Amino acid sequence: MTANHLGRWDPASPNEVRKLLTPVDAPWWIAGGWAIEFAVDEPFRPHGDVDVLLLRRDQLQAQQALSGWEWWAADPPGVLRPWATGEILPPEVHDIWCRPSADAPWRLQFMLDEADGDDWVSRRDPRIRRPIAEIGRVTADGIPYLAPEIQLLYKAKGARPKDEHDFRMAAPKLNPEQRQWLRESMTVAYGTHPWLDRLAA
């Protein structure tokens, strides 16, 4: 999905995200390539945007925290349209772009995931779930980010060149429990995948 006709990207840094989302009284996590970089603990590629994972049930908290911003939701198969104030997005929408104003660059991309009580539920397959308290990590300076094995589960679907690069960097950092969880979850979600053998090695 692209939005070149709607403006350019100037992604907020993870530290900026933390400051912007201070009013949000709900869990959130830096996701995407930044989450992998935090897990690897060294920069290894540029980032064209910044992804923030938010539980679907908390979507309006983010909208309210940045109430003066312009919000756009990605209706499947990826058509951006304005997200109205107070609108509860339908389950098939899980991608939101936002910027301070109509003439400003895009700054944040939110990804909505499901929850069931105290459990996070993967949108790849609802059989894949974990306690919400266990899906994130925190950097030394206090930035929450998505656990690398969960981020790799999502990246495995597309396996774009940057996803493959992220896998090569992150896989050696996974402990045995993380590798096992990722292998089992990928098998549930995708059946077969080239990464499975590499995770078993």
Side-chain angles (χ1 to χ4, degrees), residues 9-13 16-17 20-21 30 49-52 66 69 71 96-99 105-110:
W9 268 94
D10 179 20
S13 70
E16 288 180 279
V17 175
L20 288 167
L21 298 185
I30 295 289
D49 59 9
V50 61
D51 299 327
V52 180
L66 302 176
W69 286 44
W71 294 81
I96 307 164
W97 295 24
C98 60
R99 56 190 176 185
W106 301 103
R107 303 302 314 281
L108 295 169
Q109 183 172 4
F110 286 89

Side-chain angles (χ1 to χ4, degrees), residues 157-169:
K157 182 179 181 180
R160 301 161 294 183
K162 67 178 181 179
D163 300 325
E164 175 65 28
H165 186 41
D166 287 353
F167 175 79
R168 289 199 310 270
M169 296 298 294

Side-chain angles (χ1 to χ4, degrees), residues 50-184:
V50 61
D51 299 327
V52 180
L53 183 69
L54 188 70
L55 298 178
R56 181 174 299 279
R57 65 191 182 193
D58 302 321
Q59 60 185 276
L60 293 183
Q61 286 210 38
Q63 193 187 61
Q64 292 160 3
L66 302 176
S67 59
W69 286 44
E70 184 180 86
W71 294 81
W72 290 66
D75 281 334
V79 178
L80 288 174
R81 54 93 171 171
W83 181 25
T85 301
E87 175 192 359
I88 301 297
L89 294 171
E92 63 270 16
V93 174
H94 54 77
D95 191 6
I96 307 164
W97 295 24
C98 60
R99 56 190 176 185
S101 63
D103 58 353
W106 301 103
R107 303 302 314 281
L108 295 169
Q109 183 172 4
F110 286 89
M111 313 300 294
L112 299 181
D113 248 359
E114 309 307 322
D116 179 14
D118 293 331
D119 287 343
W120 160 83
V121 181
S122 173
R123 66 176 181 272
R124 290 287 182 259
D125 190 302
R127 293 173 293 176
I128 302 171
R129 54 178 63 206
R130 280 172 73 172
I132 294 169
E134 296 180 6
I135 72 167
R137 307 288 184 269
V138 182
T139 66
D141 51 353
I143 300 171
Y145 66 96
L146 191 61
E149 65 271 23
I150 296 177
Q151 186 58 67
L152 289 173
L153 172 67
Y154 282 124
K155 284 180 166 288
K157 182 179 181 180
R160 301 161 294 183
K162 67 178 181 179
D163 300 325
E164 175 65 28
H165 186 41
D166 287 353
F167 175 79
R168 289 199 310 270
M169 296 298 294
K173 302 287 186 176
L174 301 179
N175 64 36
E177 291 77 17
Q178 290 173 308
R179 296 170 79 91
Q180 180 179 353
W181 183 91
L182 181 55
R183 291 186 75 244
E184 292 174 352

